[in-house]
């Protein structure tokens, strides 16, 4: 089956005359025509208004968090007696140690930060404001007293004078548990953070009210932070290298690329199984960290083996399409060359997302400090959350998902709009000036509502998944039935599949909006009809192009994981290093996806433009195609491959029909 107009691309005969297609504003019951960039109006304005109202609510929450919360307590920190460090404080009724002048005491010091007994009783860890963090370990009260005399930094409760540190019989309960670990002030918030990995992990796990397994994970992250940072930079460099590879791709590079992927997959699987075997025969397997590493390694080895088998099977099945894939990427690179700054769009998007996430976390933390002071035993002060804060947290969470998806949708529409502007340009020798800025102006003037509506559909799938995750964590330890676990997993799987389908749905709708200037639902419907109508023409090549881009992400992840395995395995008994490796793997895939997603967006938008071109033109002098000669030769190659495949299938069918049993004469 061929798409309409495709037969004229390879036919030597002129096409039959067709009525001249014109853009018209008349409203008739006939089927709507595609009008590339000839008509433009504001789309989905209702959703733009709803998003404005939603962000008005977010601004109200932000103002409320600043007014009702204590931004000073958030930024500068506060002690257990209601004093904000680094400023002069007002007294709290019933708290004798409140209302002190802490102008010179700008650092927050957590007593007993390395005391294991603090884990289950978080509030018993007294917090003080000090003028300097102890940078060396203090093992005795004499050293604590000497530190106070030399630096003017008092590490015991304010009511105890430094002269009495070694004389007061209650000094051990009023001073930090010995030995006091070396600590360093955090650059922005002036908290005294322990520097030893074990103490840091326990300190961090106490602060977020978690237990044993978390402090082992944090210990691995803390002790391997230099390796993690190096691997993240390595993943970023590999992603940039993949962009260069796709920009100058050739048949030889594709074969080398696929060979590297096969070797990388097999090598990572082999290393994981070898490490698991090595762990099972290690004499130190009685350590908890060793057992946890071994369990995680077994899970990773099984998962990587399944992924490797699936990918190798797909590579073997699709190996004959390498030549067409090279031609496809040459066409994509030709389209990108008209606006090469498209490859830098992920950097801008990532910067905007980081800025928004920092703002979101700041508001969330400020909401956490919105509370009324209450005096508890020992004259200490705690802050109770105000009524309605929990509902604001959920509203704030929806704002995080919706706004993040909207920013990503704007990137997709910008890339698609720039490609559409270059594709539907008659003079290929004179490409349009600044297509990215033109696409941005069209987006913000006409189609913000469409991006908002598409991002809301993704949010609509994310919210039930988040609620299910919250319920699952809340019921952990209570649900033991097989059916309940099965229901939760099925629900997670269904919402994940819907999320993936909606993302592809949006990726088809955004270019259609950029082409035709229609609203989201109309664009999605038109794109779906047109692509299904022409699916036999280019779907297989499009899918293989997406598969090659996905293999690029896999290559980045494989080499990053291999580097992590070699680096982390040297300190296997000191940390749960498999979890930091998983963190690095996730970051590597996220970075690779952010950069290579531009090629995916260009690929999908390019084929939609091609389908619209065939739908609205027939190659005649009155209605010539918009595609250039390189794209035209690529389409003819696809036609020849499809024709050869159809002839082979017909010949095979005839042979099967002729193979009938004949009577023996």
């Amino acid at each position: 089956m061929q798409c309409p107009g495709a037969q004229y691309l390879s036919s030597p005969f002129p096409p039959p005359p067709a009525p001249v297609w014109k853009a018209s504003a008349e409203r008739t019951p006939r089927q709507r025509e595609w009008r590339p960039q000839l008509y433009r109006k504001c789309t989905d304005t209702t959703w733009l208004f709803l998003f404005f109202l939603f962000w008005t609510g977010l601004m109200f929450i932000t103002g409320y968090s600043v007014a009702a919360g204590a931004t000073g307590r958030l930024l500068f920190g506060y002690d257990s007696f209601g004093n904000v460090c680094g400023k002069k404080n007002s007294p709290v009724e019933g708290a004798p140690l409140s209302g002190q002048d802490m102008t010179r005491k700008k650092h927050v010091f957590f007593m007993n930060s390395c005391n294991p007994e603090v884990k289950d009783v978080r509030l018993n860890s007294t917090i003080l404001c000090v003028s300097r963090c102890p940078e060396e370990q203090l093992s005795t009260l004499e050293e604590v007293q000497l530190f106070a005399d030399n630096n003017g930094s008092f590490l015991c409760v304010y009511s105890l004078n430094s002269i009495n540190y070694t004389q007061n019989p209650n000094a051990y309960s009023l001073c930090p548990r010995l030995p006091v670990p070396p600590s360093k002030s955090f650059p922005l918030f002036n908290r005294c953070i322990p520097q030893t990995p074990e103490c840091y992990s326990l300190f961090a796990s106490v602060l977020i009210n978690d237990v044993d397994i978390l402090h082992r994970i944090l210990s691995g992250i803390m002790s391997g932070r230099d390796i993690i940072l190096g691997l993240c930079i390595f993943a970023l460099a590999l992603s940039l290298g993949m962009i260069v590879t796709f920009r100058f791709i050739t048949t030889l590079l594709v074969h080398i690329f696929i060979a590297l992927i096969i070797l990388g997959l097999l090598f990572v699987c082999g290393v994981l199984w070898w490490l698991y075997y090595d762990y099972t025969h290690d004499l130190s397997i009685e350590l908890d960290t060793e057992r946890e590493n071994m369990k995680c390694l077994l899970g990773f080895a099984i998962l990587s083996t399944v992924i490797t088998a699936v990918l190798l099977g797909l590579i073997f099945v699709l190996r004959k399409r390498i030549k067409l894939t090279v031609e496809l990427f040459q066409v994509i690179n030709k389209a990108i060359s008209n606006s090469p700054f498209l490859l830098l769009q992920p950097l801008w998007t990532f910067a905007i997302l980081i800025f928004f996430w920092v703002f979101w976390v700041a508001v969330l933390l400020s909401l956490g400090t919105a509370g009324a002071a209450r005096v508890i035993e020992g004259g200490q002060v705690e802050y109770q959350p105000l009524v309605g804060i929990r509902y604001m947290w959920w509203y704030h969470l929806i704002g995080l998902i919706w706004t993040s998806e909207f920013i990503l949708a704007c990137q997709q529409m910008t890339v698609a709009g720039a490609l559409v502007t270059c594709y539907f340009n008659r003079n290929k020798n004179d490409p349009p000036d600044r297509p990215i800025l033109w696409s941005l102006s069209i987006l913000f003037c006409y189609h913000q509502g469409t991006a908002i509506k598409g991002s809301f559909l993704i949010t609509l799938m994310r919210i039930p998944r988040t609620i299910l995750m919250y319920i699952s964590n809340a019921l952990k330890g209570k649900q033991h039935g097989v059916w309940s676990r099965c229901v939760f997993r099925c629900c997670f799987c269904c919402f994940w599949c819907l999320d993936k389908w909606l993302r592809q749905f949006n990726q088809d709708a955004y270019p259609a909006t950029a082409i035709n200037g229609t609203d989201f639902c109309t664009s999605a419907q038109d794109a779906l009809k047109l692509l299904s109508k022409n699916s036999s023409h280019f779907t297989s090549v499009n899918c293989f192009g997406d598969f090659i881009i996905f293999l690029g992400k896999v290559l980045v992840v494989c080499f990053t994981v291999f580097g992590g395995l070699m680096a982390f395995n040297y300190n296997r008994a000191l940390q749960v290093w498999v979890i930091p490796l998983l963190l690095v793997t996730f970051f590597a895939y996220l970075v690779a996806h952010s950069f290579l997603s531009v090629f995916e967006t260009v690929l999908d938008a390019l084929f939609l433009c091609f389908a619209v071109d065939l739908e609205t033109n027939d190659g005649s002098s009155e209605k010539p195609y918009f595609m250039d000669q390189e794209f035209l030769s690529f389409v003819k190659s696809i036609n020849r491959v499809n024709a050869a495949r159809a002839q082979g299938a017909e010949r095979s069918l005839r042979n099967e029909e002729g193979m009938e049993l004949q009577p023996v004469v």
Side-chain angles (χ1 to χ4, degrees):
M1 176 181 178
Q2 284 188 322
C3 59
Q7 64 271 21
Y8 306 130
L9 296 177
S10 55
S11 174
F13 301 100
V20 179
W21 175 78
K22 297 180 180 180
S24 175
E26 63 179 0
R27 300 184 181 276
T28 60
R30 60 190 173 88
Q31 185 178 1
R32 182 180 53 259
E33 296 177 340
W34 286 87
R35 299 171 293 179
Q37 296 189 303
L38 295 182
Y39 179 72
R40 192 73 62 183
K41 66 176 182 178
C42 294
T43 56
D44 298 301
T45 53
T46 303
W47 285 91
L48 181 61
F49 179 70
L50 290 176
F51 193 65
F52 174 77
L53 291 180
F54 182 83
W55 257 90
T56 302
L58 285 181
M59 289 297 99
F60 170 77
I61 291 178
T62 302
Y64 179 82
S65 66
V66 173
T71 309
R73 284 193 281 123
L74 171 67
L75 293 178
F76 305 108
Y78 61 99
D79 62 12
S80 298
F81 308 101
N83 301 299
V84 178
C85 301
K87 61 176 292 186
K88 191 173 182 180
N89 298 273
S90 301
V92 177
E93 185 177 354
L97 295 180
S98 63
Q100 298 193 32
D101 186 2
M102 299 292 181
T103 306
R104 297 184 177 180
K105 300 180 179 180
K106 300 181 179 180
H107 302 277
V108 181
F109 176 72
F110 296 83
M111 296 176 61
N112 308 333
S113 59
C114 281
N115 181 14
E117 299 176 1
V118 180
K119 288 192 307 181
D120 299 326
V121 281
R122 176 182 171 185
L123 294 178
N124 286 351
S125 180
T126 306
I127 305 173
L128 302 175
C129 295
V130 298
S131 58
R132 185 176 176 181
C133 301
E135 297 179 356
E136 297 180 356
Q137 180 172 300
L138 306 177
S139 303
T140 62
L141 286 177
E142 287 79 6
E143 293 181 359
V144 175
Q145 182 179 10
L146 182 62
F147 178 78
D149 294 338
N150 293 339
N151 301 286
S153 185
F154 306 99
L155 305 182
C156 299
V157 178
Y158 308 135
S159 58
L160 182 64
N161 195 293
S162 61
I163 302 176
N164 299 325
Y165 281 4
T166 57
Q167 300 176 0
N168 194 311
N170 298 324
Y172 284 98
S173 61
L174 299 176
C175 292
R177 180 69 58 89
L178 299 175
V180 179
S183 59
K184 188 177 181 181
S185 176
F186 195 72
L188 183 60
F189 297 104
N190 294 328
R191 269 67 168 178
C192 293
I193 307 297
Q195 291 301 292
T196 57
E198 296 80 5
C199 198
Y200 173 85
S201 61
L202 186 57
F203 167 77
S205 62
V206 168
L207 284 186
I208 57 180
N209 201 21
D210 213 329
V211 288
D212 190 46
I213 184 63
L214 180 60
H215 96 260
R216 293 179 184 170
I217 295 172
L218 291 173
S219 175
I221 295 175
M222 178 63 181
S223 58
R225 59 186 182 273
D226 296 333
I227 299 175
I228 293 174
L229 180 60
L231 290 172
C232 290
I233 296 174
F234 180 62
L236 179 61
L238 283 176
S239 300
L240 294 175
M242 290 308 306
I243 287 182
V244 175
T245 302
F246 285 146
R247 284 288 284 131
F248 304 100
I249 198 166
T250 61
T251 305
L252 178 61
L253 276 179
V254 172
H255 283 93
I256 295 175
F257 172 70
I258 293 178
L260 286 175
I261 291 174
I262 295 174
L263 291 176
L265 289 171
L266 295 176
F267 197 72
V268 168
C269 282
V271 170
L272 285 171
W273 283 111
W274 175 78
L275 286 176
Y276 174 71
Y277 175 82
D278 191 40
Y279 268 86
T280 56
H281 293 79
D282 197 342
L283 296 177
S284 63
I285 197 62
E286 296 301 323
L287 294 175
D288 290 338
T289 55
E290 291 286 289
R291 289 197 297 267
E292 290 163 6
N293 284 338
M294 185 183 69
K295 293 178 182 178
C296 292
L297 273 175
L298 178 61
F300 285 171
I302 295 174
L303 181 63
S304 64
T305 303
V306 173
I307 293 175
T308 299
V310 173
L311 290 180
L312 291 180
L314 289 175
I315 291 173
F316 178 78
V317 171
L318 301 174
R319 69 190 186 282
K320 295 182 179 180
R321 298 187 175 272
I322 292 178
K323 183 178 179 181
L324 280 178
T325 303
V326 172
E327 296 182 13
L328 172 63
F329 275 96
Q330 289 174 352
V331 171
I332 293 175
N333 291 325
K334 179 70 178 298
I336 293 177
S337 62
N338 294 325
S339 51
F341 288 104
L342 281 178
L343 297 177
L344 298 180
Q345 289 302 305
L347 294 177
W348 294 105
T349 304
F350 191 69
I352 294 173
L353 283 174
I354 290 294
F355 176 79
F356 169 68
W357 290 340
V358 169
F359 165 77
W360 186 87
V361 170
V363 174
L364 181 67
L365 294 177
S366 187
L367 277 176
T369 62
R374 185 173 71 93
V375 180
I376 58 176
E377 58 180 355
Q380 296 188 6
V381 176
E382 72 173 9
Y383 293 89
Q384 288 186 329
L386 299 177
V387 180
I389 291 294
R390 188 173 297 274
Y391 301 104
M392 291 185 181
W393 286 346
W394 282 105
Y395 190 92
H396 200 50
L397 177 62
I398 296 174
L400 170 68
I401 301 174
W402 194 1
T403 306
S404 299
E405 293 295 337
F406 169 68
I407 294 172
L408 295 174
C410 287
Q411 173 183 311
Q412 287 183 328
M413 290 203 71
T414 301
V415 174
L419 180 69
V420 167
T421 303
C422 296
Y423 186 94
F424 292 104
N425 174 41
R426 285 295 183 190
N427 189 0
K428 299 302 180 182
N429 297 323
D430 185 21
D433 295 332
R434 301 181 181 89
I436 298 177
L437 293 179
W438 174 256
S439 177
L440 281 172
S441 64
I442 292 296
L443 169 63
F444 285 105
C445 291
Y446 296 103
H447 303 313
Q448 286 190 76
T450 299
I452 290 169
K453 187 174 182 179
S455 59
F456 179 77
L457 292 178
I458 303 296
T459 306
L460 204 60
M461 290 297 103
R462 287 290 184 88
I463 294 174
R465 290 174 61 189
T466 305
I467 294 176
L468 282 175
M469 189 178 300
Y470 176 79
I471 296 175
S472 178
N473 292 332
L475 296 180
K476 188 178 293 183
K478 297 181 181 179
Q479 52 170 355
H480 298 285
V482 177
W483 286 106
S484 59
R485 290 195 297 268
C486 182
V487 168
F488 270 106
R489 290 173 182 173
C490 290
C491 290
F492 277 122
C493 183
C494 291
F495 281 117
W496 182 84
C497 294
L498 282 175
D499 180 77
K500 294 299 179 184
W501 180 81
L502 277 176
R503 288 188 182 278
Q504 185 59 44
F505 189 72
N506 290 0
Q507 198 150 322
D508 294 335
Y510 294 147
T513 298
I515 295 171
N516 230 17
T518 50
D519 59 82
F520 179 83
C521 292
T522 304
S523 300
Q525 183 181 7
D526 292 346
L528 187 61
K529 287 182 180 179
L530 189 60
L531 292 174
S532 60
K533 185 178 179 181
N534 298 280
S535 60
S536 61
H537 194 71
F538 53 78
T539 298
S540 58
V541 181
N542 189 5
C543 291
F544 191 65
D546 288 332
F547 180 65
I548 289 293
I549 295 173
F550 174 73
L551 289 182
K553 303 173 188 178
V554 172
L555 183 65
V556 173
V557 173
C558 280
F559 279 91
T560 305
V561 169
F562 172 69
L565 288 173
M566 295 298 100
F568 282 120
N569 191 48
Y570 289 106
N571 297 321
R572 58 167 61 180
L574 301 179
Q575 53 183 328
V576 181
W577 56 265
V578 180
I579 302 301
L581 181 61
L582 183 62
L583 178 66
V584 170
T585 304
F586 174 75
F587 179 82
Y589 183 80
L590 182 64
V591 170
H593 175 74
S594 299
F595 282 94
L596 299 182
S597 62
V598 175
F599 289 94
E600 291 180 340
T601 305
V602 170
L603 178 60
D604 293 336
L606 189 62
F607 275 119
L608 183 61
C609 291
F610 164 69
V612 173
D613 199 5
L614 292 181
E615 185 76 9
T616 57
N617 302 293
D618 54 16
S620 63
S621 58
E622 293 84 6
K623 298 171 65 175
Y625 293 114
F626 283 97
M627 67 185 79
D628 55 17
Q629 291 299 321
E630 189 170 358
F631 202 150
L632 188 61
S633 62
F634 171 67
V635 173
K636 290 181 179 179
S637 299
I638 297 179
N639 285 341
R640 286 193 295 269
V641 171
N642 290 340
R645 186 182 306 161
Q647 291 177 1
E650 185 178 357
R651 190 181 304 112
S652 175
L653 183 61
R654 289 177 180 176
N655 292 336
E656 290 180 0
E657 291 177 352
M659 292 175 61
E660 298 178 359
L661 293 177
Q662 302 292 334
V664 178
V665 179

